[in-house]
Amino acid sequence: QGQPFAGGTLLYNGTTSPYNHTGLTSATTYYYKLFSYDGVGYSPGVTANATTLCEPISVFPWTEGFEAVTIPALPQCWFEDPASGGWVTTNNANSTNDADARSGAQFLRESWLATDEYIWSPGFQLVAGTSYDFSFWWAGDDYAGWTGDVFYNTLQSSVGATQIGTSFVTNGEVTTKTYQQEIYQFTPSVAGTYYFAIRVNCPTSTPWYLSFDDFSFQTTPTTPVFSISPASKNFGSIYVGS
């Protein structure tokens, strides 16, 4: 009888229920329209939509610089907790009271009067006993009043989250608009999917913004070690080149 849903793709024509739609792309919204047929014609149809889950990232290094994000949305598979927080993607033209982007023209920003506001990364598929580095660059606004911490969890939620290391900025510290990098090392004891978050607190409206850019996640780099054995004492000069 042809395809009743103009512009769509006919998935199934039969009587079996339920129908399983397989081969989908992660983090993608699909729109469906279901029609019944009585041998004469189609019904008006019932519409529905569903968004597939985000697949954990397993290829490293991973980076996020916010350049491909539509302002003010967050990157795909990131999550703001609570949803009413002040985390947004913005650009250099939006304010004169923040640090602008570290690279490119877009970056992540959090605003004043924040109370336990988390921004969660996508999930990462990690191997037990392997050391990983979660890193980012941040800058302030020339004011004090901010507190910033890093957490991990096995889901994108502050419930049950565990803090990693110490605060990267504390309430009494006067921030600057110069970006600095923070690297947090994490070694999971159990293999699985892990999420990482920045939590910001700012109890007053005196400061303006904290800016974040150039996130990365990778296995902890190994540092080459150069050594000379005690037996190799008779030498004049040592040169190192590339």
Side-chain angles (χ1 to χ4, degrees), residues 74 80-82 84-90 97-99 107-119 139-141 146-148 168 198-202 207-212:
L74 298 175
E80 182 182 26
D81 178 21
S84 58
W87 292 99
V88 295
T89 300
T90 187
N97 297 304
D98 57 41
F107 59 102
L108 181 69
R109 191 178 70 191
E110 172 64 309
S111 56
W112 64 92
L113 289 179
T115 302
D116 288 339
E117 294 184 0
Y118 293 74
I119 184 70
D141 51 11
W146 298 101
T147 301
F168 60 86
I198 294 174
R199 183 188 69 181
V200 166
N201 277 282
C202 179
W208 288 90
Y209 303 110
L210 283 186
S211 303
F212 299 85

Side-chain angles (χ1 to χ4, degrees), residues 37-117:
Y37 182 68
D38 62 4
V40 177
Y42 286 103
S43 68
V46 177
T47 59
N49 67 278
T51 301
T52 53
L53 298 176
C54 293
E55 292 291 333
I57 296 165
S58 58
V59 177
F60 307 116
W62 163 90
T63 61
E64 177 58 70
F66 306 96
E67 297 305 307
V69 182
T70 301
I71 295 172
L74 298 175
Q76 191 177 67
C77 301
W78 289 60
F79 181 70
E80 182 182 26
D81 178 21
S84 58
W87 292 99
V88 295
T89 300
T90 187
N91 61 25
N92 293 349
N94 273 0
S95 174
T96 58
N97 297 304
D98 57 41
D100 290 339
R102 176 181 175 267
S103 63
Q106 296 191 176
F107 59 102
L108 181 69
R109 191 178 70 191
E110 172 64 309
S111 56
W112 64 92
L113 289 179
T115 302
D116 288 339
E117 294 184 0

Side-chain angles (χ1 to χ4, degrees), residues 3 5 16 18 21 35 45 91 101 103-104 154 181 204 208 214 226 228 239-240:
Q3 187 175 310
F5 188 16
T16 302
H21 188 189
F35 299 87
N91 61 25
S103 63
T154 54
Q181 187 181 35
T204 70
W208 288 90
D214 297 328
F226 176 77
I228 302 174
Y239 296 90
V240 177

Side-chain angles (χ1 to χ4, degrees), residues 2-240:
Q3 187 175 310
F5 188 16
T9 299
L10 180 62
L11 292 175
Y12 177 70
N13 184 10
T15 59
T16 302
S17 179
Y19 170 77
N20 294 321
H21 188 189
T22 60
L24 304 179
T25 303
S26 66
T28 302
T29 300
Y30 290 84
Y31 299 87
Y32 300 90
K33 196 163 188 178
L34 175 65
F35 299 87
S36 61
Y37 182 68
D38 62 4
V40 177
Y42 286 103
S43 68
V46 177
T47 59
N49 67 278
T51 301
T52 53
L53 298 176
C54 293
E55 292 291 333
I57 296 165
S58 58
V59 177
F60 307 116
W62 163 90
T63 61
E64 177 58 70
F66 306 96
E67 297 305 307
V69 182
T70 301
I71 295 172
L74 298 175
Q76 191 177 67
C77 301
W78 289 60
F79 181 70
E80 182 182 26
D81 178 21
S84 58
W87 292 99
V88 295
T89 300
T90 187
N91 61 25
N92 293 349
N94 273 0
S95 174
T96 58
N97 297 304
D98 57 41
D100 290 339
R102 176 181 175 267
S103 63
Q106 296 191 176
F107 59 102
L108 181 69
R109 191 178 70 191
E110 172 64 309
S111 56
W112 64 92
L113 289 179
T115 302
D116 288 339
E117 294 184 0
Y118 293 74
I119 184 70
W120 287 95
S121 74
F124 301 101
Q125 189 67 41
L126 306 186
V127 177
T130 298
S131 178
Y132 299 89
D133 287 353
F134 173 67
S135 68
F136 57 89
W137 293 78
W138 74 276
D141 51 11
D142 298 329
Y143 287 92
W146 298 101
T147 301
D149 304 288
V150 173
F151 288 77
Y152 78 89
N153 205 347
T154 54
L155 65 166
Q156 289 176 313
S157 172
S158 59
V159 178
T162 302
Q163 184 172 348
I164 307 174
T166 59
S167 302
F168 60 86
V169 59
T170 56
N171 185 269
E173 179 182 348
V174 177
T175 64
T176 72
K177 293 183 179 181
T178 300
Y179 273 92
Q180 53 188 305
Q181 187 181 35
E182 304 293 339
I183 302 175
Y184 285 81
Q185 203 167 97
F186 175 71
T187 303
S189 58
V190 178
T193 301
Y194 291 84
Y195 302 84
F196 295 83
I198 294 174
R199 183 188 69 181
V200 166
N201 277 282
C202 179
T204 70
S205 59
T206 299
W208 288 90
Y209 303 110
L210 283 186
S211 303
F212 299 85
D213 206 353
D214 297 328
F215 283 70
S216 71
F217 194 90
Q218 64 179 350
T219 54
T220 302
T222 56
T223 304
V225 177
F226 176 77
S227 62
I228 302 174
S229 65
S232 303
K233 293 182 179 179
N234 297 320
F235 55 81
S237 302
I238 298 175
Y239 296 90
V240 177

